[in-house]
């Protein structure tokens, strides 16, 4: 493989592709959210002096996001998707603008932040589900791996740049200005999304593929998505494989304890520990072009999740800060490659009329599992100490990955599109009643 093949594959962005507008709008939205996330934490703590209140605001936002993701998955498979995306982006403008006015008031109200956070989580979840469902329809099937990498790059850039710029703005111009700039960024995404045109649900021309609408049909529609996941061994394996890392090897909650007790460098190291995975993720994203040329992406996914567990063990066993930062950067790189591969496999193996529901279930898992994993590691650290807890968690991640490979041999045997006579098939898995379940959708 030549060196230039490691670079990002930009083919999905060429020729006036609508994907370019989606990614530009998504990046603006993520940057705006990053600005706001920092400002909210600072403002709530300044108003209350309570870390519990800060955590509660995050919990309210997370609860709204979870409901929005699940509801949005059903809506995205039964309604015109662009309207859902525009609704989320439009409400973001309203939310950030209202937060700016509240921050500029003589007496900022805490309840306003709670209310806006819950409503924003709900609408953002709906919009993100619709956006996830739309992306596979914007590019040819052979460009889905490159598309997955590009989506991950926007996520990484937003996750790094948004909070960094937000911190500088809060310390400089102040909270109201930070919120106002976030509102401007969200507003800038609207004309980009408006250029997309209509984005109907399901496969083009396939009216029967549209999920039924109406409140009474929500649970049957969501249950259809769950049934599809059970039938498709590839999709089920992709959703399960990352649980080992999320539940057992998420050390971020222990960073303050590591800084104080293990590395003995004080709170100043927490920022470095937090930034190290992001730095590794950024490098991996920019050098991810090779992921689209893999003949056995399922094996690569199992390997990279196992590698994530191994480097987590290395972090837990690190006696000095510098070595710990290296292992965390490697963990961030492994997690990013894992996300690219998982996103690509889900886009390829999910039928068009279920993209919203399956995508929303994946996003809901991605949001809740790391939070639960942090709680588990926190409990374990209280019993064994942080180093042992993280090392054991990494070992459990490796073991869980081996177990997934054993229980889902279809993922191990799977060939990428164009990699041989069985390309695109869930090898050794008989077709389901829905013939599209075990095939790659183009």
């Amino acid at each position: 493989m030549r060196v230039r093949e490691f670079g990002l594959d930009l083919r999905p962005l060429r020729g006036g592709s609508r994907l370019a507008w989606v990614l530009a709008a998504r990046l603006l939205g993520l940057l705006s959210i990053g600005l706001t996330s920092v400002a909210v934490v600072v403002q709530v703590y300044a108003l209350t002096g309570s870390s519990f209140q800060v955590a509660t605001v995050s919990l309210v936002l997370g609860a709204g996001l979870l409901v929005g993701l699940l509801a949005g998955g059903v809506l995205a498979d039964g309604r015109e998707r662009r309207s859902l995306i525009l609704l989320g982006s439009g409400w973001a403008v309203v939310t950030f603008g209202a937060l700016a006015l509240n921050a500029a008031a003589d007496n900022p109200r805490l309840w306003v932040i709670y209310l806006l956070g819950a409503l924003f989580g709900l609408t953002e979840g709906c919009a993100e589900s619709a956006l996830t469902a739309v992306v596979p329809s914007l590019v040819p099937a052979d460009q889905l791996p490159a598309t997955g990498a590009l989506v991950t790059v926007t996520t990484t850039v937003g996750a790094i740049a948004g909070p960094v710029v937000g911190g500088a703005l809060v310390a400089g111009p102040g909270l109201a200005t930070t919120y106002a700039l976030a509102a401007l960024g969200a507003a800038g995404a609207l004309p980009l999304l408006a250029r997309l045109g209509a984005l109907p649900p399901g496969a083009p021309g396939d009216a029967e593929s549209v999920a039924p609408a109406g409140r009474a049909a929500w649970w049957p529609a969501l249950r259809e998505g769950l049934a599809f996941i059970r039938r498709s061994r590839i999709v089920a394996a992709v959703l399960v494989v990352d649980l080992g890392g999320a539940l057992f090897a998420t050390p971020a909650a222990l960073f303050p304890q590591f800084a104080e007790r293990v590395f003995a460098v004080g709170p100043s190291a927490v920022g470095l520990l937090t930034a190290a995975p992001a730095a590794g993720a950024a490098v991996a994203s920019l050098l991810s072009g090779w992921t689209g040329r893999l003949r056995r992406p399922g094996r690569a996914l199992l390997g990279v999740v196992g590698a994530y567990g191994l480097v987590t063990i290395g972090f837990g066993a690190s006696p000095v800060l510098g070595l710990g930062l290296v292992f965390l950067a490697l963990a961030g790189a492994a997690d990013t490659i894992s996300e690219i591969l998982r996103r690509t496999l889900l886009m390829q193996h999910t039928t068009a009329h279920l993209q919203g529901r399956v995508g929303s279930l994946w996003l809901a898992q991605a949001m809740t599992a790391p939070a639960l994993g942090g709680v588990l590691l926190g409990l374990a650290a209280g019993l064994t100490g942080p180093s042992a807890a993280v090392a054991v968690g990494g070992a459990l991640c490796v073991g869980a990955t081996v177990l997934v490979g054993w229980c889902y041999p279809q993922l191990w045997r799977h060939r990428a599109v164009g990699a041989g006579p069985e390309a695109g098939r869930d090898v050794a898995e008989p077709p389901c009643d829905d013939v599209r379940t075990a095939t790659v959708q183009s």
Side-chain angles (χ1 to χ4, degrees):
M1 185 177 292
R2 289 169 292 191
V3 173
R4 66 181 181 181
E5 293 180 345
F6 282 88
L8 279 173
D9 184 349
L10 300 179
R11 286 180 301 154
L13 303 181
R14 294 171 184 163
S17 169
R18 291 189 294 173
L19 180 67
W21 303 116
V22 167
L23 293 183
R26 188 169 189 269
L27 183 56
L28 281 172
L30 290 171
L31 290 172
S32 299
I33 291 172
L35 298 182
T36 306
S37 64
V38 174
V40 165
V41 168
V42 172
Q43 185 179 18
V44 171
Y45 191 79
L47 289 173
T48 66
S50 169
S51 295
F52 176 76
Q53 290 277 13
V54 174
T56 303
V57 170
S58 298
L59 181 63
V60 169
L61 173 63
L65 188 60
L66 178 61
V67 174
L69 286 170
L70 296 178
V74 176
L75 291 172
D77 286 336
R79 298 174 183 268
E80 202 277 326
R81 291 166 173 171
R82 187 184 65 158
S83 61
L84 291 174
I85 300 171
L86 286 172
L87 170 65
S89 297
W91 184 252
V93 178
V94 174
T95 298
F96 302 154
L99 286 171
L101 293 175
N102 185 55
D106 293 335
N107 263 328
R109 301 296 182 181
L110 184 62
W111 67 265
V112 171
I113 301 175
Y114 273 95
L115 177 62
L116 291 173
L119 294 176
F120 175 74
L122 188 65
T123 56
E124 179 64 17
C126 289
E128 188 64 23
S129 293
L131 197 62
T132 300
V134 160
V135 167
S137 67
L138 301 180
V139 297
D142 66 326
Q143 294 181 11
L144 285 177
T147 300
L150 290 168
V151 173
T152 303
V153 167
T154 63
T155 303
T156 303
V157 171
I160 295 174
V164 170
V165 175
L169 288 172
V170 169
L175 290 168
T177 300
T178 304
Y179 288 132
L181 290 175
L184 287 176
L190 292 175
L192 298 176
L193 295 170
R195 299 183 60 140
L196 294 176
L199 298 170
D206 186 3
E208 296 181 357
S209 72
V210 177
R215 286 180 295 177
W218 275 34
W219 170 241
L222 188 59
R223 190 170 56 188
E224 182 187 3
L226 293 170
F228 172 83
I229 293 171
R230 287 197 302 270
R231 293 197 307 269
S232 175
R233 302 291 287 175
I234 292 290
V235 172
V238 170
L239 291 177
V240 170
V241 71
D242 195 51
L243 281 177
L247 292 177
F248 305 130
T250 51
L254 303 184
F255 285 168
Q257 196 172 5
F258 264 87
E260 179 182 355
R261 299 188 183 179
V262 178
F263 302 134
V265 290
S268 60
V270 176
L272 293 175
L273 293 171
T274 303
V283 174
S285 297
L286 295 175
L287 300 178
S288 60
W290 58 274
T291 57
R293 301 176 180 87
L294 290 170
R295 294 172 58 85
R296 298 283 193 174
R299 294 184 184 183
L301 176 59
L302 291 169
V304 78
V305 175
Y308 176 82
L310 290 175
V311 296
T312 300
I313 295 173
F315 171 69
S318 298
V320 295
L321 176 62
L323 185 60
L325 292 176
V326 171
F327 279 117
L328 285 177
L330 292 173
D335 188 50
T336 294
I337 298 302
S338 168
E339 180 183 343
I340 291 172
L341 294 173
R342 282 180 285 128
R343 187 184 294 275
T344 300
L345 287 167
L346 285 177
M347 288 191 296
Q348 289 177 330
H349 289 270
T350 301
T351 61
H353 78 289
L354 289 168
Q355 287 282 351
R357 279 162 283 181
V358 173
S360 70
L361 290 169
W362 174 50
L363 292 171
Q365 172 189 290
M367 182 192 75
T368 57
L372 178 58
V375 173
L376 293 176
L377 267 186
L379 293 173
L383 298 174
T384 67
S387 295
V390 169
V392 170
L396 289 174
C397 172
V398 175
T401 304
V402 173
L403 184 61
V404 171
W406 177 268
C407 294
Y408 294 91
Q410 296 83 2
L411 184 62
W412 179 262
R413 298 169 185 167
H414 171 65
R415 286 180 178 271
V417 175
E422 296 296 324
R425 300 283 301 185
D426 292 356
V427 179
E429 180 180 29
C432 302
D433 293 336
D434 181 348
V435 296
R436 291 170 295 185
T437 297
T439 58
V440 175
Q441 299 305 302
S442 59

